[in-house]
Amino acid sequence: MKRIGLVIFGTLIVLTFLVYYYSTINFKGNEQIKIVNSSNLKSFADILKISELKGKIVYIDVWGTFCGPCIKEFEYGMDLKNRFKNNSVAFLYLASPYGRADDEFRWKKMIQSKSLYGYHLLMTNTLYENFWNSFKDSIPMSYQIPHYIIVGRNGRILNYNAPRPSSKTILYEQIERALKQ
């Protein structure tokens, strides 16, 4: 009888995990979390052509699911979003790929658990490489994350090395200047 109880308990644990895994992996977004399809995106220029971002100031957060400093910065995101909630500012999160089988699961789990409202893109390895290569002639840059960029309404990059959300005032001033342009 004890063995049957253990089998049932073990089965319930496995089923619970499977339900959680499949509900997370099948997450398609909601009103506040917009998942962007990356299949047709090959470059940073393609990313900037996403129709929902047109005519807006875009604050880009390049991050990774295994990046401690990236995750720490999420704590300051809600203050930033609240500050600009009545303005034409979009928040775009570009997640770096790690080449692991669970990349998509970890990415979707993180954006839901951290309530990362905005637009989300899990970059492919090719897109990630092309993203960083698009800056090599403009400024010296490395593949370091977290990394932040401010893009103007016209799609022109205003700051390749924007402040982190934790810098608050400095970042807020830069976004406010961008809104006035």
Side-chain angles (χ1 to χ4, degrees):
M1 190 65 157
K2 190 174 187 179
R3 186 173 219 187
I4 292 172
L6 287 174
V7 169
I8 291 171
F9 180 71
T11 303
L12 288 174
I13 289 174
V14 169
L15 287 174
T16 301
F17 171 77
L18 288 173
V19 167
Y20 174 71
Y21 175 82
Y22 284 108
S23 67
T24 300
I25 203 75
N26 289 319
F27 179 70
K28 304 290 185 217
N30 57 37
E31 287 183 24
Q32 296 173 317
I33 297 174
K34 309 288 186 190
I35 305 292
V36 177
N37 181 353
S38 66
S39 62
N40 295 327
L41 304 176
K42 304 292 182 232
S43 66
F44 185 54
D46 289 345
I47 292 170
L48 294 180
K49 291 177 186 172
I50 295 170
S51 62
E52 293 88 355
L53 304 178
K54 293 213 186 281
K56 296 179 181 177
I57 303 301
V58 182
Y59 183 67
I60 299 173
D61 181 337
V62 186
W63 68 286
T65 58
F66 289 99
C67 171
C70 300
I71 295 164
K72 181 75 175 152
E73 286 296 319
F74 294 155
E75 295 175 21
Y76 304 94
M78 198 53 74
D79 290 342
L80 174 63
K81 290 171 190 167
N82 285 335
R83 173 78 178 240
F84 294 102
K85 68 181 174 189
N86 296 322
N87 297 99
S88 186
V89 178
F91 299 93
L92 175 62
Y93 294 87
L94 303 177
S96 64
Y98 288 98
R100 295 172 49 128
D102 66 344
D103 276 355
E104 185 178 2
F105 171 76
R106 292 180 61 81
W107 169 63
K108 286 183 175 182
K109 179 178 144 194
M110 185 72 66
I111 62 178
Q112 289 177 78
S113 69
K114 297 293 184 184
S115 299
L116 300 180
Y117 305 142
Y119 297 89
H120 295 271
L121 178 79
L122 176 59
M123 293 191 280
T124 63
N125 288 329
T126 301
L127 180 56
Y128 187 73
E129 183 81 24
N130 291 343
F131 170 82
W132 289 111
N133 284 337
S134 67
F135 302 114
K136 70 180 179 185
D137 294 332
S138 303
I139 57 168
M141 210 175 200
S142 64
Y143 290 73
Q144 294 180 346
I145 55 175
H147 191 86
Y148 305 91
I149 300 169
I150 298 174
V151 179
R153 285 187 176 102
N154 60 1
R156 194 185 62 148
I157 297 171
L158 301 177
N159 190 340
Y160 289 93
N161 289 304
R164 295 176 177 210
S166 61
S167 66
K168 292 191 175 203
T169 304
I170 297 166
L171 174 59
Y172 299 168
E173 288 172 357
Q174 287 189 20
I175 293 174
E176 286 168 1
R177 272 196 306 266
L179 285 165
K180 292 176 184 174
Q181 293 182 358

